[in-house]
């Protein structure tokens, strides 16, 4: 099975290094020196990682055969793809690979159908499930333990406990300031 593990960003310096946007929880395993990765577009690969280092919080890689800034810039926006055995699971109990979560049915803890996971978006602050609803619309659900309360791979479902307004229009007033403004508006007094 093929998994996208990173996207190449801009060139860094003049010796062929590039920044990468990591898309794996196991960069030390997937993006280490000697790793051979397929690419999208396929015409730029395969690429073999020669060196890797962290600089100012970003991972920098250099690939065999890429020796200057022009060569590094030519790789920009290329996706790096690793071949992964689909039977291998993450080491931590509450960790999942994207392919395990794709197409899971999403239901509320009360059993109401929400939809099906069609995409997982990896953002800097958290991951999001993109869920296609039965009517064809989409809803984004933060993949945090307060909301996603259970992943059941055997039953092929994700159980959620959504806050009001996440999957419906039943939002509640969240701040006391909003509530006091509402009560003063309804008192009939003019300002």
């Amino acid at each position: 099975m093929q998994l996208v593990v990173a996207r190449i960003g801009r060139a860094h310096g003049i010796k062929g290094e590039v920044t990468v946007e990591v898309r794996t929880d196991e960069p030390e395993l997937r993006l280490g020196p000697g790793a051979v990765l397929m690419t999208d577009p396929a015409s730029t690969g395969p690429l073999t990682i020669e060196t890797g280092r962290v600089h100012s919080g970003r991972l920098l890689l250099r690939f065999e055969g890429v020796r200057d800034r022009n060569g590094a810039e030519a790789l920009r926006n290329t996706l790096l793809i690793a071949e992964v055995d689909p039977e291998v699971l993450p080491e931590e109990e509450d960790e999942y690979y994207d392919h395990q979560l794709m197409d899971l049915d999403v239901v509320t803890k009360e059993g109401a159908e929400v939809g099906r996971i069609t995409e997982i978006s990896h953002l800097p602050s958290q991951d999001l499930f993109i869920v296609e609803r039965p009517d064809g619309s989409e809803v984004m659900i933060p993949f945090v333990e307060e909301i996603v309360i259970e992943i059941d791979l055997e039953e092929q479902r994700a159980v959620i406990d959504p806050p009001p307004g996440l999957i419906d229009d039943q939002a509640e007033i969240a701040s006391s300031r909003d509530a006091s403004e509402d009560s003063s508006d309804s008192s009939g007094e003019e300002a």
Side-chain angles (χ1 to χ4, degrees):
M1 163 175 283
Q2 296 181 346
L3 296 177
V4 174
V5 293
R7 183 184 65 81
I8 297 176
R10 333 180 227 217
H12 179 82
I14 60 171
K15 296 182 179 180
E17 285 184 312
V18 295
T19 61
V20 293
E21 173 189 314
V22 177
R23 295 189 181 175
T24 176
D25 289 335
E26 303 168 316
E28 63 286 340
L29 176 66
R30 309 270 181 232
L31 300 172
V36 179
L37 302 166
M38 293 169 280
T39 60
D40 181 10
S43 59
T44 59
L47 294 172
T48 302
I49 297 174
E50 187 173 282
T51 64
R53 66 186 177 103
V54 176
H55 175 73
S56 298
R58 295 198 54 93
L59 180 61
L60 302 178
L61 297 179
R62 183 181 353 218
F63 300 99
E64 289 181 4
V66 179
R67 294 284 171 237
D68 60 22
R69 186 173 186 87
N70 292 336
E73 264 310 315
L75 297 174
R76 192 172 189 165
N77 292 322
T78 298
L79 296 177
L80 299 175
I81 302 167
E83 189 67 38
V84 178
D85 182 347
E87 301 301 315
V88 174
L89 300 177
E91 290 179 14
E92 297 294 320
E93 182 179 326
D94 290 338
E95 287 184 6
Y96 303 94
Y97 290 131
D98 287 2
H99 71 272
Q100 294 175 289
L101 302 171
M102 292 297 293
D103 294 322
L104 291 185
D105 292 323
V106 179
V107 297
T108 65
K109 67 180 183 176
E110 292 81 19
E113 178 185 9
V114 176
R116 180 180 56 84
I117 299 172
T118 57
E119 183 181 340
I120 295 149
S121 180
H122 300 281
L123 304 176
S125 59
Q126 67 190 15
D127 295 337
L128 290 175
F129 290 159
I130 309 301
V131 177
E132 184 178 317
R133 302 188 71 151
D135 65 5
S137 65
E138 288 185 338
V139 64
M140 291 183 269
I141 299 175
F143 186 23
V144 294
E145 65 182 278
E146 295 82 16
I147 296 172
V148 180
I149 57 175
E150 180 185 0
I151 298 290
D152 187 337
L153 295 178
E154 285 187 23
E155 294 292 323
Q156 286 291 290
R157 69 181 185 158
V159 180
I160 65 170
D161 184 12
L166 182 66
I167 61 173
D168 55 31
D169 294 330
Q170 305 300 315
E172 293 178 354
I173 296 172
S175 117
S176 58
R177 191 185 95 213
D178 293 341
S180 65
E181 286 174 5
D182 288 347
S183 63
S184 66
D185 289 345
S186 61
S187 65
E189 297 177 23
E190 292 184 22

